[in-house]
Amino acid sequence: EPEVTQTPSHQVTQMGQEVILRCVPISNHLYFYWYRQILGQKVEFLVSFYNNEISEKSEIFDDQFSVERPDGSNFTLKIRSTKLEDSAMYFCASKRREAKNIQYFGAGTRLSVL
Amino acid sequence: AQSVSQHNHHVILSEAASLELGCNYSYGGTVNLFWYVQYPGQHLQLLLKYFSGDPLVKGIKGFEAEFIKSKFSFNLRKPSVQWSDTAEYFCAVLPSSGAGSYQLTFGKGTKLSVIP
C-alpha cells in the first residue's frame, strides 16, 4: 500500500536557523497538507496546497513558513527562522481529487528547536 | 469554526476489555467524521469514516463508531481490545459543505494502553 513518506523523522536545530521538512506524497495525489502537533496539544492545520499554489492556510502559517513542490514528487515545508515554540511534530498528508476528503498521513517529523 | 473534544487523555485497559472513546464536535452544518490511529513510530492511519447514511460505521481491525447527530458525537468502540491496539486515537471533523475547505480539525487524541 502506498504511503506518504516524511524525512527526517527527527530534526534538531538551533533557534533562528532555517529548517526544511520533506514529504513525498502518494504519487497520484493532487492535494497536499501540513499539520503540526505541539506536545500535549491538538493536531493543527497549517496549510493546504493544490495546483502549485496554497489553497488555504491557518493563522499559524505566517511569513516564517513557506511550502514548495520543487520537482513534482517532493512537498516541502520551510521555516525560515525557527523559534522555540516551533518545536512540534509536523505531519504531511495528501489526498486524491476523487477521494472524498480522505487524507493520508505520513509518520511525521519531530522538530526540536533548542 | 469547528472544534473537536476527546474526553479521555489516556485510557488503560486489560486485553479483552471493551473500549469506548468519546468524541464530540461542534459545528453548525453537516460534517464528515473520522477516526485516525497512530501506532508508535508510524503514520496516522484512517480507522474509519462517516460521510452519510447508516450512522453506525465499521472500520478496520474490529472498530466501529456511531454518529449521533443530536449529541454531536462520534464515539469509537471495540468489543474486545488486544495488546496490538495500543496506540493513540484521533477524532477529526471536516465540514462536508466543501467550499474549498479541506482542513481536518482534530481532537487532542486519546492514548490507549492495553495491558496483556
Side-chain angles (χ1 to χ4, degrees), chain B residues 10-30:
Chain B
H10 191 184
V11 172
I12 303 172
L13 294 173
S14 298
E15 274 194 317
S18 65
L19 170 72
E20 181 159 1
L21 302 182
C23 172
N24 285 88
Y25 70 93
S26 66
Y27 182 69
T30 55

Side-chain angles (χ1 to χ4, degrees), chain A residues 8-62:
Chain A
S9 57
H10 191 190
Q11 174 87 49
V12 181
T13 190
Q14 296 288 328
M15 191 169 57
Q17 295 296 304
E18 174 184 287
V19 293
I20 297 176
L21 309 183
R22 302 182 192 280
C23 170
V24 179
I26 296 172
S27 62
N28 61 346
H29 287 195
L30 299 178
Y31 294 84
F32 312 111
Y33 309 83
W34 283 101
Y35 293 80
R36 80 171 185 191
Q37 185 182 27
I38 295 171
L39 189 64
Q41 298 187 26
K42 298 184 179 188
V43 177
E44 302 169 290
F45 169 78
L46 292 179
V47 65
S48 59
F49 191 87
Y50 171 70
N51 201 25
N52 285 319
E53 61 182 21
I54 290 173
S55 48
E56 197 167 12
K57 61 182 181 179
S58 71
E59 292 176 352
I60 303 166
F61 195 87
D62 61 21

Side-chain angles (χ1 to χ4, degrees), chain A residues 11-21 36-39 46 59-66 77-90 110-114:
Chain A
Q11 174 87 49
V12 181
T13 190
Q14 296 288 328
M15 191 169 57
Q17 295 296 304
E18 174 184 287
V19 293
I20 297 176
L21 309 183
R36 80 171 185 191
Q37 185 182 27
I38 295 171
L39 189 64
L46 292 179
E59 292 176 352
I60 303 166
F61 195 87
D62 61 21
D63 292 345
Q64 291 300 310
F65 291 88
S66 62
L77 174 70
K78 183 195 289 187
I79 309 174
R80 287 189 183 80
S81 178
T82 50
K83 304 187 282 286
L84 295 176
E85 54 265 36
D86 293 326
S87 294
M89 181 73 94
Y90 288 80
R110 180 167 297 284
L111 176 64
S112 300
V113 182
L114 306 178

